[in-house]
């Protein structure tokens, strides 16, 4: 039976597909850690109070990258190069979403508009991350190898999403509401296209590793296109709404120590 749980289980049970899965995840998290670290260092003077929260966000992403590498080591595996067509972060940048690595690599302070762009981009991508981790949490919270990692990362992603809501609402109250809504909409519509393309690429690579039949590959691709059609019509709206989060000041505390899984 073709189901999300069975698909994930098949990927996790095979060393080759598990290696690719963890490599892609670790790369994306590490990129996010670097980006947030640079943004924290370049925050404009008017928003210096945000710097510790942005740094905390980056530290969490770095921690997640280490966790995925530790999961590989626990199975005696090493990371593999990430195929370009599965690089979610860089593909978003190519679509003009978020702050470019070239800009973050300079030593020029960011503007308040840059910070709003960063928060809107993060609000959209953290929505995706939170949903993906909750799906894994539903199936693998008690898994002997993955359970601890999934629980920790899922909690962190929920914190990141809460922080984005809170800070964007603060900027909206300061008069930036229309800019925020426009930026969120542009980000959301671009993200769902990139997510579709990355999902198709990941499934193609996984299919080669696992030897899927053409019929199964076609069925999975059809499912991905169906999700995109729904998100293009209605689903993107969940990524642009703003509401006071249930977790106040979610990134205001100290960074939790990164556990070792190897």
């Amino acid at each position: 039976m073709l189901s999300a749980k069975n698909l994930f289980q098949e990927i996790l049970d095979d060393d080759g597909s598990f290696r690719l899965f963890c490599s892609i995840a670790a790369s994306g998290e590490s990129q996010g850690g670097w980006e947030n670290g640079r943004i924290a260092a370049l925050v404009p003077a008017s928003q210096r109070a945000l710097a510790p929260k942005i740094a905390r966000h980056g530290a969490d992403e770095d921690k997640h990258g280490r966790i995925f590498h530790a999961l590989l080591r626990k199975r005696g595996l090493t990371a593999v190069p990430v195929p370009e067509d599965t690089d979610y972060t860089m593909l978003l940048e190519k679509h003009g979403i978020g702050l470019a690595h070239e800009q973050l690599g300079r030593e020029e302070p960011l503007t308040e508009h840059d910070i709003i762009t960063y928060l809107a981009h993060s609000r959209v991508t953290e929505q995706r991350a939170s949903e993906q981790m909750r799906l894994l949490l539903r199936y693998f919270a008690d898994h002997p190898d993955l359970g601890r990692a999934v629980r920790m990362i899922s909690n962190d992603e929920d914190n990141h999403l809460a922080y984005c809501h809170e800070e964007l609402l603060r900027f909206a109250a300061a008069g930036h509401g229309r800019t925020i809504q426009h930026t969120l909409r542009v980000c959301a519509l671009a993200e769902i296209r990139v997510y579709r393309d990355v999902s198709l690429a990941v499934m193609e690579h996984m299919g080669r590793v696992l030897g899927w039949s053409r019929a199964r590959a076609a069925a999975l691709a059809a499912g991905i296109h169906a999700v995109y059609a729904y998100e293009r019509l209605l689903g993107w709206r969940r990524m642009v709404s703003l509401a006071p989060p249930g977790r106040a000041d979610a990134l205001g505390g100290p960074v939790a120590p990164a556990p070792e899984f190897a």
Side-chain angles (χ1 to χ4, degrees), residues 7-40:
L7 177 63
F8 280 127
Q9 191 66 61
E10 184 178 2
I11 290 171
L12 297 177
D13 286 346
D14 180 87
D15 280 351
S17 54
F18 181 76
R19 191 182 187 196
L20 180 59
F21 169 80
C22 287
S23 297
I24 293 171
S27 175
E29 298 287 357
S30 296
Q31 287 187 66
W34 181 85
E35 290 170 4
N36 279 277
R38 291 301 300 155
I39 293 167

Side-chain angles (χ1 to χ4, degrees), residues 23 29 51 67 77 88-89 113 116 122 167 177 183 224 251 254:
S23 297
E29 298 287 357
I67 287 172
L77 303 172
Y88 173 79
T89 302
H113 184 270
I116 291 171
S122 295
E167 296 304 331
T183 308
I224 292 168
L251 296 187

Side-chain angles (χ1 to χ4, degrees), residues 20 23-24 80-88 91 201-202 205 208:
L20 180 59
S23 297
I24 293 171
V80 296
V82 174
E84 288 186 8
D85 55 359
T86 68
D87 194 333
Y88 173 79
L91 288 171
V202 170
H205 289 286
R208 285 200 290 267

Side-chain angles (χ1 to χ4, degrees), residues 92-111:
L92 282 172
E93 180 177 329
K94 287 181 179 179
H95 281 75
I97 303 303
L99 301 179
H101 281 200
E102 181 184 359
Q103 179 182 8
L104 296 180
R106 299 194 294 263
E107 294 301 327
E108 300 172 8
L110 300 173
T111 65

Side-chain angles (χ1 to χ4, degrees), residues 26 29 58 79 154 232:
E29 298 287 357
S154 180
R232 185 66 182 82

Side-chain angles (χ1 to χ4, degrees), residues 50 125 198 243:
L50 258 182
T125 56
V198 168

Side-chain angles (χ1 to χ4, degrees), residues 1-230:
M1 178 181 177
L2 191 61
S3 69
K5 183 176 182 180
N6 289 342
L7 177 63
F8 280 127
Q9 191 66 61
E10 184 178 2
I11 290 171
L12 297 177
D13 286 346
D14 180 87
D15 280 351
S17 54
F18 181 76
R19 191 182 187 196
L20 180 59
F21 169 80
C22 287
S23 297
I24 293 171
S27 175
E29 298 287 357
S30 296
Q31 287 187 66
W34 181 85
E35 290 170 4
N36 279 277
R38 291 301 300 155
I39 293 167
L42 300 174
V43 166
S46 62
Q47 298 297 325
R48 289 310 299 172
L50 258 182
K53 296 182 180 182
I54 300 172
R56 164 74 182 274
H57 189 176
D60 284 347
E61 303 288 2
D62 281 335
K63 177 181 68 179
H64 300 167
R66 294 195 301 273
I67 287 172
F68 283 113
H69 281 294
L71 289 170
L72 285 171
R73 290 196 302 272
K74 190 170 184 179
R75 281 175 60 164
L77 303 172
T78 56
V80 296
V82 174
E84 288 186 8
D85 55 359
T86 68
D87 194 333
Y88 173 79
T89 302
M90 294 309 298
L91 288 171
L92 282 172
E93 180 177 329
K94 287 181 179 179
H95 281 75
I97 303 303
L99 301 179
H101 281 200
E102 181 184 359
Q103 179 182 8
L104 296 180
R106 299 194 294 263
E107 294 301 327
E108 300 172 8
L110 300 173
T111 65
E112 284 197 357
H113 184 270
D114 290 331
I115 298 300
I116 291 171
T117 297
Y118 149 71
L119 287 168
H121 166 258
S122 295
R123 187 263 177 270
V124 170
T125 56
E126 293 297 340
Q127 178 79 38
R128 182 74 70 187
S130 177
E131 290 171 355
Q132 288 181 322
M133 292 311 302
R134 288 189 181 197
L135 184 63
L136 288 174
L137 190 64
R138 183 191 312 168
Y139 300 138
F140 300 109
D142 297 322
H143 190 281
D145 294 324
L146 286 180
R148 187 180 174 202
V150 167
R151 291 192 301 272
M152 173 169 287
I153 296 173
S154 180
N155 182 68
D156 287 346
E157 302 297 7
D158 288 347
N159 281 340
H160 300 165
L161 184 57
Y163 145 78
C164 292
H165 275 266
E166 191 171 61
E167 296 304 331
L168 284 170
L169 285 170
R170 179 174 65 83
F171 273 106
H176 299 283
R178 294 186 70 176
T179 297
I180 290 168
Q181 281 303 315
H182 171 74
T183 308
L184 282 171
R185 188 177 190 278
V186 170
C187 284
L189 292 175
E191 192 280 341
I192 63 173
R193 289 194 301 273
V194 169
Y195 181 71
R196 174 201 61 191
D197 294 344
V198 168
S199 296
L200 289 169
V202 170
M203 288 301 103
E204 182 179 348
H205 289 286
M206 290 295 179
R208 285 200 290 267
V209 172
L210 294 168
W212 288 341
S213 67
R214 292 180 65 181
R216 185 169 196 198
L220 288 169
I224 292 168
H225 283 294
V227 169
Y228 171 73
Y230 165 73

